[in-house]
Each structure stands twice: as C-alpha cells, then as structure tokens.
C-alpha cells in the first residue's frame, strides 16, 4: 500500500447520540498494514440492525458512530501482503472486520462466532481505534474480511447479500436444508425475509410466507414467488398449515410468541431465530417434545458462506428488491425503515451522492 502505516482521512455520516440522527462527520481511518485493503465505497445497504445501533437499543452504542455493514466498493490500494485482491477489484465488506484467528470457530471458517470478533462499526480495532462503517467515502479492511463481487453482478444488488442474503443462506446450508422439495416458512417479510423467499425458491422449496396482515399478500405471491401466504392471526389458516413445514426462518425483530409457529413445524422441524430481540421469549415445552422440534439461532454467515451466496445468487439469477437513495436521504430512509415503509432494502448510493462530495471539500 502506497501509504502503508500512514493515516487516511474519511468522511461519513455519523450518529452522535441515541436520537439516531446522522450528519456529516470527518474522521481518520486506522493505520494501514500489509494485509489491508483501502476501499472507495460505491454503495451500502441499510439493515434493521443499524437502527438498533444508532439508537442504542442494545445499550452498547458508542458515538460518534458511522453505521453500515453491507458495503460494496472498489479497491484503491492494497498492502504488500495482500494476495486475494488487486487495484480495481469490486469487493464487499459485511458485518465483521476482525477475529482472533485462533479459536475453534475461527479455525472452522466460522469467524462470525468468534468471541473476539470485531464489528465493522461500533467497535474497537486491535490498535485501539474505533471501527466505522460503510456510510462513508472510504474504508480500510483486512483482506480476510473482504469478498470479491462476481463479475456482472450490479453493485446495488450485491450489497444486501452481504448481510440479509447470507443471513438466510447460512442456516439453510448448515442445517442441511438446501435440497429441493422441502417446505419452508418465512416469518416476516422485510429485508431479510424477502431474501429468504427468493433464496428458498431458488433452492426448489415450497415457500409459505407468514405475516401479521394481508397487506403484503400480493407482493409475496406475485412478485417474490411465494407459494402460500398465511396471516398469523387467522387461526383457521394457521391450523391449515399445522405440522406441514420442515423449517421456519423467523426474521421478526420484536417480541412475539413462538407457540403458533412451532405448531406449524413437522416432526424434526426447525424454527430458526434471526431477529435481534432484547426481551425474553416464551414457549411451552410439549410443542417441542412431542415433535422432536428444534428452536435454533443463526448469526449472519462466514466469509466462505458469503462467497457461496454471492455465487449462488449469480448462478440462479436471484436479485434483491431494493430502493436506492442518496446519502443525504439517510435520516428519512431510517425513519421509513422503522415504519417498515420500504420494498425491501434501502441501498445508499454513496459514490453518486454529490452532497457527500461537496461536504468533503469543506470539512477538515
């Protein structure tokens, strides 16, 4: 890297307090090393987790905070030991940017479960400097935590796959649920849920969307390709799908009862929790015992699985349903996401945001 060991300036949009309001923020990137890649950000998806972080919903937020962990960019410089990437490559960065490298998860290519993992933002890097995310013009990332975007895949389509896509793909792969002919349920039709429908359908599954209202029925059936749609409050409809599903991917990020969905699972069925919920969930044990059912959890995916889901989606023609916004529309986008007013993932056009460029010329 031309300035290996030196500091570089960056400009992003940061939250300063739990109000979650973002505004331009100039900062210094961490010092670069021989395994680091300097990236010019092209675009970055908005995840529901970003809301939890900027508003300190989990009680662990540090400010100023530049969020964003579905980052696609172009390699500008590489360190002397970088072997996987060259200048000009289009690459992606997801939820984590560091790990210990020595524990069992790390040695098993499951670095997302490392107890010493480093988040791409709202964390501290090994040199003591805060990590900042992808709602910024540049990033510096260790080559281990970067993936190459398949040639020909539109960058704005790739961004949601780095979190939402791999979050769905990982448990289907891990639990042996990729074979054709399975019957799956998708609980919640948001950013992760809509990718769940598309990826499961591409695997040849019969997919039932379970939602809290009728308002997304047409979207789910006609546009996303779901095979069935059930409103969770309709007891007759829930009874119709009782004991019928091999798995349910539960993407709901707020408190909800589990019993109605456990009842939908077949013998040995798996309820896979993905939503970040900071209140206890409850269920009665007979629903599990009498069907040998499983309640499991899954957290994003590994770098290896991220590479796999990118290749899978390229091969199968799976795309995200997105709405592209400029970086000065971030606060409005977060407000709309909080109200579930998006189909189905916001992607911020960072490189094409003139407001960012104009601000950069006047910020020290």
């Amino acid at each position: 890297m031309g300035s290996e060991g030196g500091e570089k300036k960056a400009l992003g949009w940061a939250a300063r307090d739990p109000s979650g309001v973002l505004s331009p923020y100039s900062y210094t990137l961490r010092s670069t090393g021989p395994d680091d890649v300097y990236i010019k950000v092209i675009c970055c998806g908005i995840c529901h987790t970003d809301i939890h972080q900027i508003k300190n919903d989990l009680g662990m937020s540090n400010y100023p905070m530049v969020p964003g962990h579905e980052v696609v960019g172009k390699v500008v410089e590489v360190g002397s030991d970088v072997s996987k990437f060259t200048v000009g490559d289009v690459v992606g960065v997801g939820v984590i940017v560091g790990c210990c490298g020595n524990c069992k998860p790390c040695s098993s290519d499951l670095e997302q479960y490392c107890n010493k993992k480093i988040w791409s933002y709202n964390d501290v890097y090994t040199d003591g400097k805060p990590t900042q995310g992808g709602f910024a013009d540049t990033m510096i990332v260790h080559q281990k935590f970067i993936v190459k975007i398949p040639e020909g895949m539109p960058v704005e389509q790739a961004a949601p796959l780095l979190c939402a896509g791999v979050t769905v793909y990982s448990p289907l792969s891990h639990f042996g649920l990729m074979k054709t002919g399975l019957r799956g349920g998708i609980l919640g039709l948001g950013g992760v849920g809509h990718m769940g429908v598309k990826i499961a359908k591409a695997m040849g599954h019969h997919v039932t969307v379970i939602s809290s209202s009728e308002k997304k029925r047409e979207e789910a059936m006609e546009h996303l390709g779901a095979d069935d749609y059930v409103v969770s409050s309709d007891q007759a409809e829930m009874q119709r799908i009782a004991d019928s599903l091999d798995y349910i991917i539960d993407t709901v990020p707020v408190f909800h009862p589990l019993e109605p969905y456990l009842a939908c699972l077949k013998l040995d069925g798996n309820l896979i929790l993905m939503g970040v919920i900071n209140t206890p969930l409850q269920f009665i044990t007979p629903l599990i015992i009498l069907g040998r059912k499983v309640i499991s959890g899954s957290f994003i995916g590994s770098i290896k699985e991220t590479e796999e889901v990118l290749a899978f989606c390229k091969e199968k023609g799976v795309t995200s349903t997105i709405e592209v916004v400029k970086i000065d529309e971030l606060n409005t986008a977060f407000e709309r996401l909080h109200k579930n007013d998006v189909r189905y993932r916001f992607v911020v056009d960072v490189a094409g945001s003139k407001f960012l460029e104009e601000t950069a010329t006047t910020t020290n």
Side-chain angles (χ1 to χ4, degrees):
M1 189 172 290
S3 55
E4 201 168 293
E7 293 183 336
K8 296 178 183 292
K9 293 290 186 180
L11 183 79
W13 274 56
R16 265 75 170 191
D17 55 54
S19 70
V21 175
L22 287 85
S23 59
Y25 171 59
S26 180
Y27 56 100
T28 302
L29 296 172
R30 65 175 176 80
S31 297
T32 57
D35 285 300
D36 287 327
V37 178
Y38 182 46
I39 301 167
K40 179 177 175 59
V41 177
I42 300 173
C43 63
C44 183
I46 301 179
C47 177
H48 199 279
T49 303
D50 295 329
I51 295 178
H52 290 306
Q53 295 283 19
I54 63 175
K55 291 185 174 293
N56 197 28
D57 289 341
L58 304 178
M60 57 182 69
S61 296
N62 299 291
Y63 304 98
M65 179 201 302
V66 177
H69 59 235
E70 295 179 343
V71 190
V72 178
K74 182 172 286 189
V75 175
V76 177
E77 296 180 23
V78 297
S80 57
D81 290 344
V82 172
S83 58
K84 296 174 61 178
F85 308 100
T86 59
V87 172
D89 284 347
V90 178
V91 298
V93 179
V95 178
I96 63 173
V97 294
C99 64
C100 77
N102 300 313
C103 65
K104 183 176 180 180
C106 286
S107 62
S108 304
D109 289 327
L110 293 169
E111 60 281 338
Q112 74 271 32
Y113 296 112
C114 172
N115 289 331
K116 296 181 180 179
K117 61 182 166 287
I118 300 174
W119 307 97
S120 50
Y121 70 88
N122 192 35
D123 207 343
V124 179
Y125 204 68
T126 54
D127 61 357
K129 200 167 188 67
T131 60
Q132 302 290 9
F135 299 137
D137 56 355
T138 55
M139 293 181 73
I140 291 174
V141 183
H142 190 288
Q143 64 173 332
K144 176 178 173 59
F145 301 95
I146 300 174
V147 295
K148 190 172 291 187
I149 303 302
E151 186 175 350
M153 178 177 282
V155 291
E156 66 275 6
Q157 288 292 335
L161 300 180
L162 302 171
C163 176
V166 74
T167 293
V168 170
Y169 179 89
S170 178
L172 293 177
S173 174
H174 173 71
F175 291 115
L177 298 170
M178 292 180 65
K179 58 186 178 183
T180 60
L182 295 180
R183 301 180 71 89
I186 305 296
L187 177 56
L189 197 59
V192 175
H194 100 282
M195 288 308 308
V197 175
K198 292 189 173 190
I199 289 174
K201 285 298 297 180
M203 291 177 177
H205 297 181
H206 179 285
V207 178
T208 298
V209 170
I210 307 173
S211 189
S212 60
S213 73
E214 286 279 356
K215 66 181 182 179
K216 293 183 179 179
R217 179 183 291 273
E218 181 179 352
E219 179 75 21
M221 301 287 286
E222 296 187 13
H223 298 285
L224 299 181
D227 300 287
D228 198 0
Y229 187 96
V230 173
V231 177
S232 57
S233 59
D234 187 329
Q235 294 186 7
E237 282 290 278
M238 291 293 284
Q239 181 60 37
R240 176 175 65 82
I241 63 169
D243 300 314
S244 71
L245 302 178
D246 294 291
Y247 67 87
I248 295 174
I249 292 176
D250 183 347
T251 72
V252 178
V254 295
F255 175 84
H256 56 288
L258 300 184
E259 286 96 336
Y261 312 109
L262 289 168
C264 296
L265 294 173
K266 294 179 180 178
L267 175 68
D268 292 327
N270 193 341
L271 177 62
I272 306 166
L273 303 180
M274 294 183 177
V276 177
I277 305 169
N278 58 2
T279 54
L281 300 180
Q282 294 180 331
F283 59 90
I284 56 173
T285 59
L287 279 173
I288 296 177
I289 295 170
L290 297 178
R292 203 166 60 188
K293 300 174 184 180
V294 176
I295 297 175
S296 63
S298 184
F299 175 62
I300 55 168
S302 65
I303 298 300
K304 182 176 180 291
E305 289 169 327
T306 304
E307 293 170 338
E308 289 176 6
V309 76
L310 286 166
F312 176 86
C313 290
K314 176 70 187 301
E315 177 189 351
K316 300 292 186 179
V318 176
T319 59
S320 312
T321 302
I322 62 172
E323 181 177 338
V324 178
V325 298
K326 301 298 185 184
I327 202 164
D328 58 332
E329 300 174 296
L330 259 178
N331 289 312
T332 300
F334 272 115
E335 290 172 5
R336 288 180 54 195
L337 176 59
H338 188 65
K339 299 174 183 177
N340 294 319
D341 178 26
V342 57
R343 295 179 56 247
Y344 277 94
R345 203 69 158 184
F346 283 117
V347 176
V348 180
D349 176 12
V350 176
S353 295
K354 292 184 178 179
F355 182 85
L356 178 62
E357 295 169 359
E358 292 167 358
T359 305
T361 62
T362 59
T363 303
N364 295 323

